[in-house]
Amino acid sequence: QLHLVESGGGLVQPGGSLRLSCAASGFTLDDYAIGWFRQVPGKDREGVACISSSDKIKKYADSVQGRFILARDSAKNSVYLQMISLKPEDTAVYYCAADRIPAPDFCSHYWRYNYWGQGTQVTVSS
């Protein structure tokens, strides 16, 4: 079976940092586009950082540009989302997702992803 498991969420003060991890089992992440999405109650899921299967294209939401970095670790079959200078508005449940979705849809068409992790809560608050 194909599984994605996120970890690394938590409570952090404004200006702090967190690194989210997404580990895959049952398939090779390198063959898939990866998206990190976040969602708050009452709002649609938002793509914050995505990478194409070829790693040639990375896309970040304007709200996180310069603060979030997405990277793969092929040896660990994982992807990471390094988040710095966190703001209260970054508070959300963060999900990683994987599927064979081409650019430019891979960061906006979250409904096309078939493989999702369980989500990890990120809370930015003093």
Side-chain angles (χ1 to χ4, degrees), residues 81-100:
L81 185 66
Q82 179 68 50
M83 307 185 294
I84 65 171
S85 302
L86 283 162
K87 303 175 181 180
E89 52 263 43
D90 294 319
T91 296
V93 178
Y94 284 71
Y95 300 89
C96 67
D99 217 319
R100 292 189 169 100

Side-chain angles (χ1 to χ4, degrees), residues 5-27:
V5 178
E6 299 107 337
S7 60
L11 173 64
V12 64
Q13 291 187 341
S17 301
L18 283 174
R19 190 177 83 152
L20 305 184
S21 301
C22 176
S25 60
F27 66 113

Side-chain angles (χ1 to χ4, degrees), residues 23-66:
S25 60
F27 66 113
T28 301
L29 272 182
D30 284 355
D31 297 335
Y32 292 76
I34 304 296
W36 280 98
F37 298 86
R38 66 186 181 187
Q39 190 167 25
V40 296
K43 291 191 175 181
D44 209 359
R45 199 159 289 192
E46 175 192 19
V48 295
C50 305
I51 187 169
S52 64
S53 58
S54 64
D55 285 6
K56 290 182 180 179
I57 303 173
K58 284 187 182 179
K59 183 173 176 62
Y60 296 92
D62 290 344
S63 58
V64 307
Q65 186 74 42

